[in-house]
Amino acid sequence: MRKRLKVGFWELIARIVLKNRLAILGVIILITIFLGLQWKNIQFSFTEANLLPDDNNVNKEYNAFLDKFGEEGNLIVVGVKDNTFFTPKAFAAWNKLMADFKSNKEVDLVVSVSDLKKLQKNDSIQSFELVPFVDQNKISSPAYLKSIQKDLFTNMPFYEGLLFNKKSGSIRSAIYLDKKIVNTAHRKDYIVNTFIPKINAFEKETGIDLRVSGMPYIRTLNAMSILSEISLFIGASLLLTSLIFFFFFRSYRATLIAIVIVVIGVMWTFGLLGLFHYQITVLTALVPTLVIVIGIPNCIFLTNKYQQEYSAHGNKAKALQRVITKVGTATLMTNLTTAAGFATFIITSSQLLKEFGIISSLSIISLFFLCLIVIPIYYSYQPVPKQKHLEHLNRNYTRVFINWIEKTVKYNRRYVYIVSIFLFLVSIIGAFKIKTSGSLIEDMPKNTSFFKDILFFEKEFEGIMPLEITVDTKRKKGVMVMSTLRKMDEFQETIEEIPELSKPISILNLVKYSKQAYYNGNPEFYKLPTSQEKTFILSYAKNATKNSKNNLMKSYVDSTGQVARITTFMRDIGTGNMANIEDKLWAKANKVFPKDRYNVVMTGKALVFEKGTQYLLDNLVSSLLFAVLLISLLMVFMFRSFKMVVVSLIPNLLPLVITAGLMGYFGIPLKPSTILVFSIAFGLSVDDTIHFLAQYRQELAHNNWKIKKSVFATIKESGISMFYTSVVLFAGFSVFMLSDFGGTVALGGLIAITLAFGMLSNLMLLPCLVLTLNKSLANKQEFIEPKIDILNNPNEVDDEKLI
């Protein structure tokens, strides 16, 4: 009993693992089966990423808008710019295409030139009638089609900006999907299996290139791109990291078990998503690849330690035990710090980031235990390493690299400081050049046809991203009061003056069109009625629309007539320009609509996304500081030294500053994807610091507290593993650069660069700092760890009976 009490924590873990190998493997298999059964609960997100907290005022306003007017993102637009459109063959095919869409139960309304309705006065019933704009009996006549083209562009200002561009001659149709399917899997099925095949058939029949866009269409194809990239990332990262692993160790057995471990880790990640009923989003889609990229370095450290120990004394049992006892704490801490980098997103109020943080951190911790348990068990059943498997420990290129690091630290410490300070100052200047971007489409795959279609609609129709403005008159039927309509007209004139916004759509358009129709369709009368005209013109309009099911304007006034909706579409303009537009609109709104009589709200998907980006920016510093604090506390627990925490933070903050500088110099903006870089990279970069300092602490005790000897012994001992893992991490995150999504490319590239600088900083700057501050950092009391001993334990069991 007394002997057992003397055994350290990790020695106890080693005994439990190696004495109960089959039972533990059985538990792992059961957990894998259980989590595999949870895959049936995995769902894909059918909406855009909402970065704002649920209780944020912008979210509340947007949800209130949806409650009143329904889903705003249900519009698909089909556009065409072709001189042959108004010819019998093309127009007949267009007619058929629109009729097919109209017959689909998933479609609520189709507004197209082919079945366009125009208002016509009927004095006998004091109402406007909706009569066909196109006589279907005459569409075989080229002359007739030319005449309706002229009539459309000249006499139908109500539809300008909605169905046609008068200047360029481009035409489009507006297809409104059933709002009930917009945020469901049914939307994807309809667009992929019905909508797109019909578009392709039209193009094949006529040779006319159609342009398709709108939020339901973009969401569907964007989501399909994300799904396709999940398998690409998993496959590419597994292949690349496995090849690097094999290159380092030249062992099929070692490579095989590393692959098995990370594959199980990926299965567990998907299982956790299903267990918590989380949806696969643009962020959680990255986690399986992160598990592979982070898991392989764990396998490298443990495998390398096993081979180093066996090479040193030739005792397999002792080597397996020391895999756990000598690097247990260090590996645990490195995984905790990595998990902490992701866990910082849990403290945000954004559900999207919370889910990403929870799944990532749980996956990383689970992976640590998998590696720590499975690798010793696996090697306990395998033959001892052959000499060829140990040759990498003294391979020429690694020895040259480590010798160069050692010489630099020993003889050129001053230059290390000069270069570090220079890089810091230059990077600070670059960091101040960073701009922000709240673009909803910037990170979408730019080589896809749907992205090119977005650019088409931006050019021809001023964008497809909806910006919604509601005007609450604070009284029933207050919208149709002439004073309100005049104020809305003045406000809409301001919208039309802003080049980044499209021509607005509201009940005002119908009122103006009613006057035009009253005056026999004369486009010069497309304007608000005068006070004298108001009574009889508006009564005609009300009679015309009260029983109309397919009324385009039915969604622009609420059921009580109290709240009016103004919709405009915006170009992809980013955060800075969006703020300027908001200022202009609010300045006009506050001037036109007195707050005591009106309540004006601006909302819409584009605005919510822009505010979400700003929310992330506002929380960037706080989340990064939280990561630093959390990781610092872990290091205080490990080293019992505040001075060591300060020394360890400097080499890890410098790479972050360098990355920020590069972003500024190369024009890479801060956006949802790149904001994540700093917390993630910091958590990963600190891993090297922990491995270095943990080894340094062991070397101090082994070398009788001689600082220089211990530092250079640490470089030799841990340098190879740090180099190996950094190469794997660099290559692993570089896999994300295969993505078609700009944000994913930036995320992978920036983290890879940060980790490369982090490796050099931890191998060069960190030992230089330790040597420079050696007097204050050589205190034995600060390095003695009373609770969890990772030094050689005198009670360590060397008996082969252990395994």
Side-chain angles (χ1 to χ4, degrees), residues 340-564:
F342 290 95
T344 55
F345 302 120
I346 299 175
I347 66 168
T348 66
S349 301
S350 168
Q351 187 63 28
L352 180 80
L353 292 176
K354 275 185 179 178
E355 292 179 4
F356 176 64
I358 290 171
I359 293 298
S360 300
S361 51
L362 285 179
S363 297
I364 291 167
I365 297 302
S366 302
L367 192 64
F368 160 72
F369 286 107
L370 266 178
C371 294
L372 191 69
I373 292 171
V374 173
I375 284 180
I377 291 177
Y378 174 77
Y379 283 115
S380 70
Y381 288 108
Q382 294 297 314
V384 297
K386 298 178 181 178
Q387 186 58 38
K388 66 177 183 178
H389 298 146
L390 305 177
E391 289 176 356
H392 72 93
L393 298 172
N394 296 300
R395 203 168 286 151
N396 186 55
Y397 67 88
T398 55
R399 187 170 64 251
V400 170
F401 177 72
I402 295 301
N403 287 341
W404 175 72
I405 293 289
E406 190 175 345
K407 288 179 181 178
T408 303
V409 173
K410 185 179 292 185
Y411 302 113
N412 299 300
R413 209 181 313 163
R414 180 177 58 181
Y415 295 111
V416 172
Y417 292 139
I418 292 173
V419 171
S420 298
I421 293 172
F422 174 76
L423 289 174
F424 176 79
L425 294 176
V426 172
S427 299
I428 287 291
I429 296 172
F432 282 105
K433 299 178 182 290
I434 296 179
K435 297 179 180 179
T436 59
S437 170
S439 165
L440 194 58
I441 67 170
E442 182 181 11
D443 286 342
M444 291 182 181
K446 293 180 173 54
N447 60 346
T448 56
S449 59
F450 78 85
F451 185 84
K452 294 172 183 175
D453 289 349
I454 291 173
L455 299 182
F456 170 83
F457 285 104
E458 283 205 341
K459 179 182 178 182
E460 298 293 329
F461 295 95
E462 282 84 35
I464 44 87
M465 302 300 168
L467 176 64
E468 304 284 356
I469 300 142
T470 59
V471 180
D472 186 350
T473 62
K474 298 184 178 180
R475 57 172 175 164
K476 291 184 178 180
K477 299 183 179 179
V479 170
M480 298 304 290
V481 175
M482 280 306 300
S483 60
T484 299
L485 293 174
R486 290 193 187 99
K487 291 179 184 296
M488 289 176 61
D489 192 29
E490 185 178 349
F491 183 70
Q492 288 191 189
E493 286 176 359
T494 301
I495 294 177
E496 291 188 46
E497 291 170 359
I498 299 174
E500 294 86 357
L501 300 180
S502 69
K503 183 180 177 181
I505 305 170
S506 72
I507 191 64
L508 194 67
N509 300 59
L510 179 60
V511 173
K512 290 181 178 182
Y513 191 26
S514 299
K515 179 173 180 176
Q516 179 189 353
Y518 188 81
Y519 287 99
N520 301 316
N522 189 338
E524 294 182 2
F525 289 93
Y526 185 75
K527 59 182 72 173
L528 276 178
T530 64
S531 299
Q532 291 78 16
E533 297 167 327
K534 174 191 70 170
T535 304
F536 53 87
I537 288 180
L538 292 186
S539 67
Y540 271 59
K542 290 175 183 177
N543 291 336
T545 59
K546 63 183 180 181
N547 295 318
S548 177
K549 180 182 178 182
N550 293 331
N551 176 17
L552 178 62
M553 292 291 111
K554 66 182 179 180
S555 295
Y556 287 87
V557 180
D558 75 330
S559 58
T560 65
Q562 176 175 318
V563 182

Side-chain angles (χ1 to χ4, degrees), residues 212-446:
V212 184
S213 197
M215 295 311 296
Y217 183 79
I218 293 172
R219 289 176 188 172
T220 300
L221 297 192
N222 201 45
M224 290 173 63
S225 296
I226 293 173
L227 277 175
S228 66
E229 289 198 348
I230 292 178
S231 55
L232 169 67
F233 292 154
I234 291 176
S237 60
L238 188 59
L239 176 64
L240 184 59
T241 54
S242 300
L243 287 175
I244 295 173
F245 188 98
F246 179 78
F247 176 76
F248 287 154
F249 291 98
R250 306 294 171 89
S251 169
Y252 291 107
R253 290 178 297 174
T255 306
L256 175 64
I257 191 57
I259 293 174
V260 170
I261 288 172
V262 295
V263 167
I264 293 174
V266 169
M267 294 176 65
W268 285 17
T269 296
F270 282 118
L272 289 172
L273 282 168
L275 182 64
F276 293 128
H277 294 273
Y278 289 164
Q279 294 179 330
I280 294 180
T281 64
V282 68
L283 289 181
T284 53
L286 302 177
V287 179
T289 306
L290 292 173
V291 167
I292 295 172
V293 174
I294 294 170
I296 292 293
N298 280 345
C299 297
I300 286 176
F301 264 111
L302 295 169
T303 303
N304 198 52
K305 189 62 183 175
Y306 168 61
Q307 293 184 354
Q308 283 180 334
E309 287 294 328
Y310 182 80
S311 177
H313 49 67
N315 188 319
K316 179 181 177 181
K318 182 188 287 187
L320 287 172
Q321 186 186 28
R322 287 189 174 184
V323 168
I324 298 175
T325 59
K326 295 192 73 173
V327 296
T329 299
T331 311
L332 173 62
M333 288 300 172
T334 58
N335 282 269
L336 285 178
T337 54
T338 302
F342 290 95
T344 55
F345 302 120
I346 299 175
I347 66 168
T348 66
S349 301
S350 168
Q351 187 63 28
L352 180 80
L353 292 176
K354 275 185 179 178
E355 292 179 4
F356 176 64
I358 290 171
I359 293 298
S360 300
S361 51
L362 285 179
S363 297
I364 291 167
I365 297 302
S366 302
L367 192 64
F368 160 72
F369 286 107
L370 266 178
C371 294
L372 191 69
I373 292 171
V374 173
I375 284 180
I377 291 177
Y378 174 77
Y379 283 115
S380 70
Y381 288 108
Q382 294 297 314
V384 297
K386 298 178 181 178
Q387 186 58 38
K388 66 177 183 178
H389 298 146
L390 305 177
E391 289 176 356
H392 72 93
L393 298 172
N394 296 300
R395 203 168 286 151
N396 186 55
Y397 67 88
T398 55
R399 187 170 64 251
V400 170
F401 177 72
I402 295 301
N403 287 341
W404 175 72
I405 293 289
E406 190 175 345
K407 288 179 181 178
T408 303
V409 173
K410 185 179 292 185
Y411 302 113
N412 299 300
R413 209 181 313 163
R414 180 177 58 181
Y415 295 111
V416 172
Y417 292 139
I418 292 173
V419 171
S420 298
I421 293 172
F422 174 76
L423 289 174
F424 176 79
L425 294 176
V426 172
S427 299
I428 287 291
I429 296 172
F432 282 105
K433 299 178 182 290
I434 296 179
K435 297 179 180 179
T436 59
S437 170
S439 165
L440 194 58
I441 67 170
E442 182 181 11
D443 286 342
M444 291 182 181
K446 293 180 173 54

Side-chain angles (χ1 to χ4, degrees), residues 46 177 181-182 184-191 216 219-220:
F46 296 103
L177 296 186
I181 73 163
V182 170
T184 68
H186 192 172
R187 180 201 74 206
K188 176 199 167 187
D189 294 338
Y190 171 71
I191 289 177
R219 289 176 188 172
T220 300

Side-chain angles (χ1 to χ4, degrees), residues 75-81 94 97-98 101 171-173 175 190-191 195-200 202-203 208-219 221 448-458 464:
L75 171 64
I76 297 179
V77 287
V78 181
V80 57
K81 187 178 181 181
W94 182 265
L97 179 66
M98 293 302 121
F101 287 144
I171 299 288
R172 72 175 178 180
S173 288
I175 301 167
Y190 171 71
I191 289 177
F195 187 88
I196 292 178
K198 290 182 185 295
I199 294 291
N200 293 337
F202 174 90
E203 292 179 332
I208 294 176
D209 182 25
L210 294 185
R211 306 286 188 159
V212 184
S213 197
M215 295 311 296
Y217 183 79
I218 293 172
R219 289 176 188 172
L221 297 192
T448 56
S449 59
F450 78 85
F451 185 84
K452 294 172 183 175
D453 289 349
I454 291 173
L455 299 182
F456 170 83
F457 285 104
E458 283 205 341
I464 44 87

